Amino acid sequence: MNRLAVYCGSATPADPLYVDTARAVGATLAQRGIGVVYGGGRLGLMGAVADGALEAGGEVIGIIPQALVRAEVAHTGCTELHVVTDMHARKALFTSLSDGFVTLPGGVGTMDELWEAISWAQLGYHAKPVGLLNVAGFYDQLLAFNAHMNAVGFIRPAHAGILIARETLSDLIEAMEAYEPHETIFRMSASQL
């Protein structure tokens, strides 16, 4: 994996664990020679990931919608900063520039990005690993809900392993590197659906 899209919040939670983890993720990816593709912001966890990677000498590619540039939240220190028209263009560029996706803690926007990456993998728009770093149990309830969707049958057995969740970045990267693409909906017959 040469580049990973990193999805995370633009907020700064009161607990410094989240920002510290984001900064460490950026630094660790840079040290491993993995470029960061992210939302292009300078605030919250997003800014911490970028700063961590940049301080470690890594490549950081920001992708930000024009409306957020005008709100003065763009990180101007990125290796590259792509300004796009809207969120749809942003997510498409995340997918085309990265070799996989890592999700850190975040809010609604982060969830939108995570679930779209999973959905696109199910369908067959990409065959890249989708990782979730479960920092301090932040995603325990989401993982339980994902297991519930599997158990009920809303996630096909062929797609149950798309979401790769781990508690440490090293374990997550190792699992993502070992990821084997699954059978996509686009390649399934009607009887398999």
Side-chain angles (χ1 to χ4, degrees):
M1 295 183 295
N2 295 315
R3 290 181 181 148
L4 288 174
V6 179
Y7 298 146
C8 58
S10 60
T12 303
D15 187 339
L17 169 71
Y18 297 109
V19 170
D20 293 346
T21 298
R23 183 177 292 276
V25 165
T28 300
L29 292 177
Q31 291 158 2
R32 289 176 172 244
I34 300 172
V36 170
V37 179
Y38 87 116
R42 61 176 169 78
L43 304 176
L45 273 64
M46 285 179 29
V49 166
D51 290 342
L54 291 166
E55 289 164 8
E59 174 190 50
V60 176
I61 299 173
I63 306 168
I64 190 166
Q66 181 65 48
L68 292 177
V69 171
R70 287 192 296 269
E72 299 182 341
V73 297
H75 194 307
T76 57
C78 294
T79 310
E80 296 176 27
L81 183 64
H82 297 267
V83 178
V84 295
T85 55
D86 55 33
M87 297 298 281
H88 298 290
R90 179 193 225 180
K91 291 185 286 185
L93 198 51
F94 281 147
T95 302
S96 67
L97 292 178
S98 68
D99 301 310
F101 311 88
V102 172
T103 301
L104 305 181
V108 173
T110 304
M111 292 301 90
D112 173 54
E113 292 162 343
L114 170 66
W115 291 116
E116 184 165 283
I118 294 169
S119 176
W120 285 14
Q122 285 182 154
L123 291 167
Y125 286 113
H126 72 77
K128 302 172 183 182
V130 180
L132 182 78
L133 187 60
N134 190 18
V135 177
F138 181 81
Y139 284 120
D140 286 352
Q141 293 175 340
L142 181 138
L143 292 169
F145 179 64
N146 191 64
H148 177 66
M149 289 190 293
N150 275 295
V152 170
F154 283 111
I155 296 177
R156 291 169 181 85
H159 304 143
I162 291 175
L163 179 60
I164 303 166
R166 299 292 185 276
E167 294 181 2
T168 68
L169 183 61
S170 59
D171 288 347
L172 182 59
I173 290 173
E174 183 179 324
M176 290 174 69
E177 288 174 338
Y179 174 72
E180 302 241 351
H182 54 279
E183 187 174 13
T184 68
I185 289 174
F186 292 157
R187 294 185 185 268
M188 290 179 166
S189 66
S191 64
Q192 293 173 293
L193 297 174

